[in-house]
Amino acid sequence: MSSAQQTADPGLYLPRSARIEAVADLTAREKFFRLTLDRPLGHQPGQFVMVTVPGMGECAISITCGPREDNILEMVIRKAGNLTGVIHGLKAGDTLGVRGPFGRGFDLAEFHGRDVLVVAGGLGLVPLRSLLTPMIADHGRFGRITLITGARTPAETLFREELARWREKDNVEVIEMVDSTAHLPWDGRVGLVTTPIGALGLDAARTTVVLCGPPVMYKFVLLELDRHYHVPAERIFIDLERRMRCGVGKCGHCQINQAYCCQQGPVFRYSELRDFPEALA
Amino acid sequence: MNAFLASPAQVGGWLHVLARTTALLWPQPKGSRNFSFLPLAQGAPVSLDRYRPTVVPPSRHLLPADETLFTYRCEPTGEVRYQPPEAPPRQILAGVRPCDLKGIAQLDAVMADAPADPLYGARRAATAIIGVDCLAPCDSRCFCAATGSLAFRGGADLFLTPLADGVLVEVTSDRGAELLAGAGFAPCGNAAALREQAEADRPVPFGRALAASPAELPAVLRAGYRSPVYGRHGERCFSCGTCNLVCPTCYCFEVRDDLALDGAGGRRSRTWDACMIPAFAEVAGGHNFRPQVGERQRHRLKRKFEYLPDRFGTGPFCVGCGRCGRQCAADIDILVMINEIVAEQGGAA
């Protein structure tokens, strides 16, 4: 035990104070937060942080900005309960506690020179924006980049202005889907995120696939991919969500069969998940 | 290392001396038939007799039910100051049997795994352990021999073996030697022979048997992933989580914040949680990754016999103490379930 104690970080569970610089409404339920930390976060795309409101609690939140050298942290938070309800009431100048970054994210170098298909259902776009932002900024280093986003209705779409700017780049295609227009103006397409996959004409050997969305989305996207292309399971990344209370592999909540989502994930290769029946159930 | 011989009365006297300066927890009767690791009160009798396993295992004294992660204070400037908890007090866990020593060793492995848990590490470092050997099964639920914990000695600073005419006291660490300083016990030159003789007199078989060895169980459980055994026993399960709370190797926790009455400060703590409780794997928005009780039973069993043994390589995380079955209101017994799955899979691999 003495060796364990020597290496233990006494601050493992201590948040760092972060100042809210900007808050923006994205939809009726989602707000965008830009925070300034005391030092650069130093994260990988796909990682997450634990966000604290002192006296209220702590929850896992995806990082939505790409890797940065400044002290900025960007997040999108859905009002889903008491804690996120309080966070929604905060404004610029208020503070939050932050721990992290935690988990295993994406290694951008592994995407260099590859065609990339990104399928983001609902809030799945939030963590994947941390991967897409550096990819689009440096799009010459990648092959063809295709992003399919899905939302229930136009009122629930995220980052549309940014998607429009991405679409202008060479070799970048953005396909926006909604399940239903709900009688709202809409210039994207109507259908599920699976609908456009068959007509993309992907080159399976050159393509890396990235998925993030509600649990029900995965098996249908994987079936559709399998029907039209045979992308090797090692080249399909899935960014999973689980309940996380500690972020450091101790509390047990995020366990998926033998994997701790907060340690071995939240980004997994599909080839790893085939041993975990609970992962995509 | 050194060994000594003492009478039970001398051992009792020595433990009372230790208890004067350090919190010393010893298994003592509680209620009509249960035992609990309680502070040894002045003059309380010290019995080395076999005891019914305590409801709550001693490992829980290293991972308390409500442990402060930090306190915080909001300054008038709006700044929040987070403060780590105070160093834990020294304690002596005494009268810990082999199965519970194994439980503590498994928690040591989990909490030392990077990133190491600083609170557990500090508490463990402040805890001395005095083990006591088990020479007869504690009751009809026992199966520690089957899980390989009966012979476990790791983590103890001193180890006591009750003999027909006294107590063998073996020193197993420097801290143990310090605890024994001034006890005045008679040196013993043939400790190994005495202990081996005492252990050779144990009944055979010792407690219940597993239908497959712990080394074989991961493969059996993988093959039986969809076994109906989980659902069949799950039908009786109340999803109360008692089996988790009394398990020496369960460590999952929930995190909660408490606000001070002045609203300007408070604390965050971790409290015991249980993967058998329905909402354990539920995420914001209500999706539950293990909604069925059978899925949760499977998760519990596989953690003990497959997931954690595979991950840490330190043997089964079920130590065979029998507590989960003993305390279960619906008489769901982990050994019975495992043996049914083994039988269903056509016996051991």
Side-chain angles (χ1 to χ4, degrees), chain A residues 20-141:
Chain A
I20 299 175
E21 297 299 330
V23 182
D25 289 325
L26 296 186
T27 73
R29 287 196 295 173
E30 279 97 25
K31 282 191 180 190
F32 175 85
F33 292 85
R34 177 177 291 124
L35 275 59
T36 305
L37 306 167
D38 56 350
R39 59 178 184 268
L41 189 58
H43 69 285
Q44 258 187 329
Q47 286 192 294
F48 66 95
V49 287
M50 298 297 294
V51 175
T52 281
V53 176
M56 278 300 298
E58 185 178 49
C59 60
I61 300 287
S62 302
I63 300 162
T64 196
C65 52
R68 310 176 62 115
E69 278 163 18
D70 58 14
N71 296 359
I72 294 294
L73 161 65
E74 291 177 351
M75 306 179 291
V76 173
I77 298 179
R78 170 177 286 178
K79 189 175 178 176
N82 292 339
L83 180 61
T84 49
V86 170
I87 295 174
H88 266 232
L90 299 178
K91 51 194 187 308
D94 291 337
T95 60
L96 281 170
V98 172
R99 289 193 298 134
F102 294 126
R104 185 180 63 165
F106 298 99
D107 178 5
L108 259 182
E110 211 184 318
F111 291 74
H112 287 157
R114 307 277 304 167
D115 289 349
V116 183
L117 168 66
V118 177
V119 182
L123 276 185
L125 182 59
V126 170
L128 296 188
R129 181 173 172 267
S130 70
L131 173 70
L132 286 158
T133 303
M135 273 174 40
I136 305 274
D138 204 8
H139 60 104
R141 299 189 70 167

Side-chain angles (χ1 to χ4, degrees), chain A residues 13 245 255 257 260 278, chain B residues 117 251 254 290 303 307:
Chain A
Y13 296 111
R245 306 304 283 123
Q255 199 174 353
N257 296 112
Y260 271 52
E278 289 181 344
Chain B
D117 190 285
Y251 54 85
E254 182 54 280
R290 276 188 290 278
R303 270 177 70 93
Y307 299 155

Side-chain angles (χ1 to χ4, degrees), chain A residues 194-236:
Chain A
T194 45
T195 314
I197 290 174
L200 292 175
L202 299 179
D203 178 348
R206 289 182 46 85
T207 302
T208 299
V209 177
V210 180
L211 312 178
C212 186
V216 67
M217 182 189 96
Y218 297 114
K219 68 178 158 204
F220 294 105
V221 172
L222 291 166
L223 273 173
E224 196 66 7
L225 279 170
D226 201 45
R227 215 161 70 119
H228 298 280
Y229 319 100
H230 295 286
V231 179
E234 296 74 30
R235 295 285 191 189
I236 300 176

Side-chain angles (χ1 to χ4, degrees), chain A residues 128-189:
Chain A
L128 296 188
R129 181 173 172 267
S130 70
L131 173 70
L132 286 158
T133 303
M135 273 174 40
I136 305 274
D138 204 8
H139 60 104
R141 299 189 70 167
F142 303 89
R144 174 184 164 199
I145 299 170
T146 309
L147 167 64
I148 302 174
T149 66
R152 283 188 198 150
T153 70
E156 287 157 77
T157 55
L158 300 168
F159 297 116
R160 288 210 76 199
E161 287 170 24
E162 201 164 348
L163 299 189
R165 288 199 298 276
W166 292 355
R167 193 181 273 126
E168 301 305 313
K169 308 275 186 187
D170 291 338
N171 277 328
V172 178
E173 185 180 6
V174 178
I175 303 170
E176 293 177 272
M177 309 294 297
V178 291
D179 298 353
S180 149
T181 62
H183 308 289
L184 294 165
W186 178 241
D187 57 357
R189 292 171 57 180

Side-chain angles (χ1 to χ4, degrees), chain A residues 7-26:
Chain A
T7 55
D9 168 13
L12 191 66
Y13 296 111
L14 291 190
R16 292 142 58 190
S17 280
R19 185 188 147 88
I20 299 175
E21 297 299 330
V23 182
D25 289 325
L26 296 186

